Amino acid sequence: MLSPETLRDLNERFQTEPTESTLTWAWNQFGDRAAIGTSFQGAGLVMIDLARRNGLDFPVFTLDTGLLFAETMALKLKLESFFGIQIESLEPDLSVETQAEVHGPELWKRDPDLCCTVRKVVPLQGKLASLDCWITGLRRQQSDTRSAIGVIESYLFDPVSGREVIKLNPMANWTRDAVWDYLKKHQIPYNPLQDQGYGSIGCVPCTRKAGRDENERAGRWMGFQKTECGIHTFMARKA
Ligand code: SF4
């Protein structure tokens, strides 16, 4: 894996280089053991487009919790056609119905952390076991909890073996306006719920419209202190 010094140097370099250069570095370094994970927010779509335009054939995956909006499911099909790719859906072991039998109905109302663990974190862990680099669409501007992310980070994936996974956030510096300018300019399909005032779109039970002055993720898990589903917090950051 990459040393802390190398990661520091790469972070400095990626701060100023175009996003496609960061993606090209990842492709040269990891090939298809690097993959783009997306929930189809705007930044992820920009990143997929930049990768395709530059001949970087990263696998793309999404977490299908079984509780996504119909608009999100329809968008996945549209994007597969638009980009000419297959997007792998990672699904939880428990269906929504089985989860209700095991943990009680509407777990998201009582214990959203457990619900997110079952429906998002565990499926992602299964995927990361086969990857060296996870490419995300995180942006610093999205929320306070994301304001200090690096463009490249290293995480301890398996405390027993010591195996690390590189997390690449090539969109870290992009603003919301820049993302939307890009999507419109290149006529990339996006979630129509965005036009209805949803700043960040996840599962139906945990997504509301955010106020105009709130951060983009303010509509997620309203009524709870929770601001992250857990996929970005379950691993310890090494560097
Ligand atoms: S976002 Fe809500 S419904 Fe979706 S997995 Fe998390 S708690 Fe469950």
Side-chain angles (χ1 to χ4, degrees):
M1 266 298 153
L2 304 169
S3 70
E5 295 73 30
T6 302
L7 285 168
R8 190 194 56 225
D9 292 348
L10 286 170
N11 249 319
E12 275 178 25
R13 183 180 135 191
F14 294 158
Q15 290 300 330
T16 52
E17 285 190 354
T19 305
E20 47 269 48
S21 299
T22 304
L23 290 168
T24 300
W25 172 88
W27 182 253
N28 292 337
Q29 183 82 16
F30 301 110
D32 62 7
R33 284 188 65 84
I36 294 174
T38 179
S39 55
F40 312 126
Q41 317 294 334
L45 308 185
V46 171
M47 203 165 53
I48 295 169
D49 192 66
L50 285 171
R52 300 294 297 166
R53 284 173 189 272
N54 287 277
L56 313 172
D57 203 12
F58 294 112
V60 180
F61 68 86
T62 192
L63 295 164
D64 181 355
T65 61
L67 290 159
L68 301 177
F69 286 87
E71 288 87 343
T72 306
M73 301 305 292
L75 176 61
K76 175 182 182 252
L77 297 177
K78 251 191 200 176
L79 291 168
E80 287 183 323
S81 168
F82 182 83
F83 289 121
I85 59 173
Q86 288 286 312
I87 299 173
E88 182 186 9
S89 288
L90 307 181
E91 298 176 0
D93 287 340
L94 300 181
S95 68
V96 175
E97 294 74 25
T98 310
Q99 176 172 291
E101 286 168 18
V102 174
H103 296 291
E106 299 186 316
L107 182 59
W108 48 87
K109 286 186 178 171
R110 292 173 288 109
D111 192 343
D113 285 342
L114 177 58
C115 187
C116 279
T117 297
V118 171
R119 313 206 74 72
K120 294 186 176 185
V121 176
V122 172
L124 177 67
Q125 286 172 326
K127 183 66 185 175
L128 292 185
S130 66
L131 294 177
D132 293 323
C133 177
W134 169 29
I135 307 173
T136 86
L138 295 188
R139 290 185 295 109
R140 294 186 180 124
Q141 197 195 47
Q142 280 177 303
S143 66
D144 292 345
T145 53
R146 298 184 177 184
S147 61
I149 57 170
V151 178
I152 184 166
E153 302 171 331
S154 174
Y155 284 84
L156 181 60
F157 175 70
D158 183 351
V160 177
S161 67
R163 181 172 176 267
E164 294 176 27
V165 168
I166 293 295
K167 187 171 169 189
L168 200 67
N169 306 311
M171 302 296 292
N173 290 325
W174 282 59
T175 63
R176 179 177 169 79
D177 286 348
V179 167
W180 284 95
D181 286 349
Y182 186 101
L183 292 177
K184 294 278 165 72
K185 179 178 173 192
H186 297 286
Q187 300 186 317
I188 297 169
Y190 62 89
N191 199 321
L193 294 173
Q194 299 274 1
D195 291 335
Q196 297 174 29
Y198 290 87
S200 172
I201 300 158
C203 296
V204 175
C206 301
T207 303
R208 299 285 179 273
K209 295 177 187 179
R212 290 182 69 84
D213 298 329
E214 294 178 303
N215 76 47
E216 294 166 48
R217 290 177 56 81
R220 305 289 286 274
W221 304 287
M222 277 185 171
F224 290 93
Q225 291 296 314
K226 185 174 171 69
T227 57
E228 292 286 344
C229 65
I231 62 172
H232 296 295
T233 53
F234 79 90
M235 292 188 289
R237 186 171 169 180
K238 297 267 292 182

